[in-house]
């Protein structure tokens, strides 16, 4: 005999949205749901590295970091 843990009971499903005031139409609820779901979708975008073209363009525009006042503003790229 093995003492296997019993599967946990599934938690009750909570509604995504709750209307606490007013009487929205089906279309208004659908629009609101779409907006709320779009806000939380996906993982944060990863910061991508600048391409070689970016650095070439900076050299052509003479945007290379130069020492002096305000150099911290130009150093980001």
């Amino acid at each position: 005999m093995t003492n296997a843990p019993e599967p946990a009971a599934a938690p009750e499903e909570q509604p995504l949205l709750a209307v606490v005031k007013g009487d929205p139409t089906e279309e208004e609820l659908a629009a609101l749901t779409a907006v709320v779901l779009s806000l939380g979708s996906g993982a944060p975008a990863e910061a991508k590295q600048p391409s070689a073209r970016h650095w070439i363009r900076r050299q052509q525009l003479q945007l290379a970091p130069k020492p002096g006042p305000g150099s911290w503003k130009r150093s980001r790229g």
Side-chain angles (χ1 to χ4, degrees):
M1 291 180 76
T2 60
N3 292 335
E6 294 182 24
E12 290 186 28
E13 215 172 295
Q14 296 291 326
L16 180 63
L17 302 171
V19 178
V20 294
K21 186 175 182 181
D23 189 23
T25 64
E26 298 267 333
E27 292 82 15
E28 291 171 332
L29 284 175
L32 179 63
T33 303
V35 169
V36 170
L37 289 176
S38 71
L39 293 175
S41 64
E46 295 180 22
K48 62 179 187 176
Q49 295 293 327
S51 65
R53 181 177 179 187
H54 171 81
W55 292 110
I56 292 170
R57 181 74 175 152
R58 286 185 59 79
Q59 287 174 341
Q60 290 173 341
L61 294 173
Q62 298 179 352
L63 296 175
K66 298 175 187 164
S71 62
W72 63 273
K73 293 179 186 176
R74 296 185 300 270
S75 66
R76 181 167 182 265

